[in-house]
Structures are given as structure tokens and as C-alpha cells.
Amino acid sequence: MIDIKMLRRNPEKFKEAVRKRGYDESIIDELLKVDKEWRNLTSEIDKLRARRNEISRRVAAAKREKNNEEANTLIEEGKKIGDLIKELEDKRKELEEKEREILLRIPNPPHESVPVGEDETYNVEIRKWGKPREFDFNPKAHWDIGPDLNLMDIERAGKLSGSRFVILYDKLARLERALINFMLDLHTKEHGYKEVWVPHLVKRETMTWSGQLPKFEEEAYNTKKDDLFLIPTAEVPLVNLHAGEILSENDLPLKYVAYSPCYRREAGSYGKDVRGMIRNHQFDKVELVWYTKPERSYEDLETLVSHAEEVLKRLNLPYRVILLSTGDMGFTAAKTYDIEVWLPSYNNYKEISSCSNTEAFQARRSKTRFRRKNGNVENVHLLNGSGLAVGRTLVAIIENYQMPDGSIKVPDALVPYTGFEVIP
RNA sequence: GGAGGCGUAGCCUAAUUGGCUAAGGCGUCGGUCUUGAAAACCGAUGGGGUGAACGCCCCGUGUGGGUUCGAGUCCCACCGCCUCCGCCA
């Protein structure tokens, strides 16, 4: 959610921001109009309330002095004002709902360092690490390697759950679990994160605070009976952990890491990544979240990205870091780096992590604030990033570490976690 | 699922039968004092509207409604927590 006070002061800046992101800027004018009406009405109501407060003070005084006649006259006036207030408040409530509805649909303005462009062709490559392996045999895709080893079962997953699900057996299942533990250990022991185990079902409000709703309801799984949502990422519970709280400046930054399965309907992605386990309705992810101060949030974003990169370095998987353009960023982000890992089956790099600074966009919705030493209360800045998507890391290992005989070598860093060096 | 209890500010705790400005303590920040610190004392410490500014006004006792001239206090719904019963991995 954008800051309405900033918007009032500088509407042109916000129109430009909205335009850069490929949204229609008329939404800003619409919002300003409703806001103006709201403020006029609020002034009027406040004046009436002041009058009512005065009356009720005088009623109390009159009653104390046993002046019943005066009290009754005042009560009569109070009744009339009360009715009028109620009427105007109903009107104001309508405006408030309208204003909120518009506000929740305006994307986060991009940071000045973000390249402007309508789609991913305007993304900028920041750096590359490692070299894609040169195979002296014909490398296979993970959707062939896995089933050939009888360790990956897409057919039976389809029988149980439909398309975009997968079943893993034996050493591949074990590898998935090893990756989760490896990532959690790295971030907790070496990068200073606090491990969190989170609920996978959350309330509608929680999804709204973190920005998934109302705009992306189609993307989320919902349990109709209780109106709970399956989390599309652990970011949702993590960035709402301190909703409504005022943190102490000394507590910042707070760094959280959580493993969770992620559930996504992938409603708009028919025909995209249809083979294998690249784009599933359910996948594991280790998520990193920072609560930090505005003046250092961009510096911290760089650190967060480096933590995600470290996972790939330890696994010796080639990757590149991309800075997303204004048109390619998510709704809640002011700046996003994607990390892409090399996949032989795509003969290209494929997204494996997305790290964003949402500034105060989410914190404003969830009312997550901190108190500065001088007593001022401000919204925190929230950063989130995958560290990493576990399913895609598994795929990257299968494909990049495949051997001519169809087996898979386990990266050295993982051997302590798997207990074996080769699959099968 | 059933019965009961509770929810006050960053934290802890008050508030006759509904009535003047939600009292007090702790913490934090700033100031006075001090060589420095502690102590003591003074002030600040939720949100909004309006205004160039000093300021003025409104809202805020879990959330949303209701009763009333007036609600922390009374009523209803919801959310959360606790206790007991039932069910349960």
C-alpha cells in the first residue's frame, strides 16, 4: 500500500511510478478525488463531534447543579447532532471503503535504480558466476533422468492430484530433504538468521497485509469453509509476524528464515514449463525475510541476495543475477533481483530465487512499525527472498550433476546431509 | 464441538451506580544537574484532520456494530488467549 500522505503532496510522482509499472495512471486521480471528499467530510464530522462533546460536558454539569431544564434542552440538541453525525459517518464509511479498495490495487512505486521497461526484455544482468558445464555426452532433462531412475513419478502424482505435481522416492526424496536442511543450516549458522516454523494456512487478512490479496486471489488455494488460504510462500507468515506491533530500533534488523511448502494455483501459466517439476502447484522453499530500517534497506537487500547466492556457490551451480525492470517486478516490490540457475534442459538460466525490497509497502498494510531512539514511530522496511526454491535446486542438481550412465553425483556440500555420494 | 473466564498505551497495572483531560508505575528518548555516570527533577513517547507556523480539533481501552446527550464501563457479533469437558495425531 502506498503512503496516501506522500501521494497528496506529490501526485505527479506517483502517476509516473504507476505508468512505469504499466498501470493506468487514472487510478491516482480517482483515488485523489475520493480522498478529497473524505477529508472534507472528516472536517465536518470533527466539528460536529466537538460540539457534541461540549454538549455532553454541559449536560453533566447541569445535572450536577440539578438544573434539569437546561439539561433537557441540551439533550435535545445532542440528539439532533448525534443523528446528523451518524448520517455523515455512514457516508464517510462508504468513501473509506472505496478509497481502501483503490489503494489496495496500486502497485509499489519502483526504486530509482530500477530499469524502466514494459517487460522482461528490459531486465539487466548484474553478474554471472560459474561456467555452464560442457557435456561430453548428450545431457538429459530432469524429467527423463528422474523417471529413468524410477525415483521421480509424475504419472502417479497426476493420478493423485492432477497435473503439476510430483512424487519423489528414495534417494531423490532424501536429496530434497537434505537440501532443506543444508539451506537452513547455512542461513542460521553462518548468516545469522533465526529459524521459524510457520503455519501453512493463514487468514484472509494475513494474505491482504502481505499483498497477495485482493489482486491475486485467483492464484491462491482457499479453504472455503473457514476462508483460510494455503500460503503461496513462507513470505506471507514471515512478513506478518509482527503485524500491529511497534518494534524497538535496537531489535532491527530482524532476520528470519523459514522452510515451508508453497501452494500456487498457477492460474495464468497454462502451457508454461509444462514438463517436469519446474512449475508445480506445490513446492518446497526456504525463505529469507528482513525487518530493517529505511535508511539501510537497499544495502541489506544486497546482503540478502548474497546469502541466496552463497547456496548456489556451495553447490557449485552456475548462475546469474538479474535486476528486474519496472514492468517485470511483482506488485509489492520496489526493487527485485532474480537469481537464475543454469539448466541444461532449457539451455538457459532459470529463476531459482527472487529477492525484493518492498520498502514500507507491506509494513503499511500490516501496521508493522518501529520506534526510533528519538521516539518517532515509523514503518519498517521489509525484504524477502528465496534462499532458495528447493524443488528447482533439486532439478538443477539432477541436470548439472548427471553422469553418462544416467546416475547423479551428489554435490560435496550435500554429502553430509544425504549420507551418500551418488544417486542411485 | 460444549461450558466458563479474560483482552486498557512499548510493557505492567488502575478507573463509585455510564459523566470533566484513561490515573499510576516501568521502560525508552531528550533535557537540567555532573569531570563522567548514577540518582533526582522536568519534558516527550498511538492515529488522523486543518494550518506557513505557535496551535486548534477529532479519533484511539482486541475488531466491528448497537443503546445513550455521553461508553473502558451496558448489549450483540467476530477475533485472540486461558481453564474445564468432549473428540483427536
Side-chain angles (χ1 to χ4, degrees), chain A residues 333-352:
Chain A
K335 181 172 185 174
T336 298
Y337 291 106
D338 272 6
I339 302 175
E340 300 181 336
V341 69
W342 178 260
L343 285 190
S345 61
Y346 279 66
N347 194 33
N348 204 344
Y349 292 92
K350 185 74 187 167
E351 178 187 343
I352 197 164

Side-chain angles (χ1 to χ4, degrees), chain A residues 183-196 251-258 288-291 296 303 307 314:
Chain A
M183 291 180 197
L184 285 173
D185 280 354
L186 175 64
H187 296 311
T188 54
K189 290 178 184 168
E190 298 188 41
H191 296 153
Y193 289 76
K194 182 188 230 181
E195 184 169 345
V196 189
D251 294 340
L252 300 179
L254 287 169
K255 295 154 69 183
Y256 292 124
V257 59
L288 308 172
V289 162
W290 286 56
Y291 290 65
R296 53 172 286 182
T303 309
H307 291 159
R314 303 265 175 122

Side-chain angles (χ1 to χ4, degrees), chain A residues 82-142:
Chain A
D83 289 344
L84 190 52
I85 289 174
K86 199 166 287 176
E87 199 182 305
L88 295 181
E89 278 180 342
D90 286 347
K91 214 186 280 178
R92 182 170 66 168
K93 211 180 161 198
E94 272 175 46
L95 287 173
E96 263 165 15
E97 274 163 22
K98 207 165 151 193
E99 183 163 350
R100 183 174 165 75
E101 190 266 334
I102 299 170
L103 214 40
L104 288 179
R105 284 165 200 278
I106 296 176
N108 204 353
H111 187 252
E112 56 187 13
S113 62
V114 173
V116 178
E118 59 204 11
D119 55 33
E120 70 275 6
T121 57
Y122 293 87
N123 294 348
V124 174
E125 182 180 303
I126 302 294
R127 59 182 165 271
K128 246 182 197 161
W129 186 91
K131 269 212 185 90
R133 177 177 158 196
E134 308 236 347
F135 289 92
D136 48 15
F137 59 95
N138 231 357
K140 294 193 286 183
H142 70 279

Side-chain angles (χ1 to χ4, degrees), chain A residues 220-340:
Chain A
Y221 287 104
N222 172 247
T223 67
K224 290 209 170 52
K225 250 185 177 162
D226 301 300
D227 202 29
L228 291 171
F229 291 81
L230 280 158
I231 55 171
T233 158
E235 172 199 337
V236 174
L238 285 181
V239 301
N240 284 307
L241 216 48
H242 298 288
E245 296 179 21
I246 298 178
L247 303 164
S248 160
E249 182 172 2
N250 296 328
D251 294 340
L252 300 179
L254 287 169
K255 295 154 69 183
Y256 292 124
V257 59
Y259 151 72
S260 87
C262 304
Y263 305 93
R264 301 185 181 180
R265 292 192 63 234
E266 296 294 350
S269 61
Y270 303 112
K272 218 172 172 184
D273 306 314
V274 285
R275 302 208 64 185
M277 52 177 290
I278 287 293
R279 187 175 298 277
N280 278 354
H281 290 306
Q282 175 191 326
F283 62 94
D284 289 324
K285 184 155 61 67
V286 169
E287 182 76 3
L288 308 172
V289 162
W290 286 56
Y291 290 65
T292 192
K293 292 193 271 184
E295 61 269 28
R296 53 172 286 182
S297 66
Y298 280 94
E299 196 185 315
D300 290 340
L301 178 63
E302 300 297 324
T303 309
L304 188 155
V305 173
S306 77
H307 291 159
E309 286 179 66
E310 187 61 26
V311 178
L312 291 167
K313 285 181 180 165
R314 303 265 175 122
L315 296 174
N316 206 17
L317 290 167
Y319 68 86
R320 62 177 185 179
V321 179
I322 301 288
L323 175 58
L324 297 193
S325 74
T326 53
D328 200 29
M329 277 194 304
F331 180 74
T332 61
K335 181 172 185 174
T336 298
Y337 291 106
D338 272 6
I339 302 175
E340 300 181 336

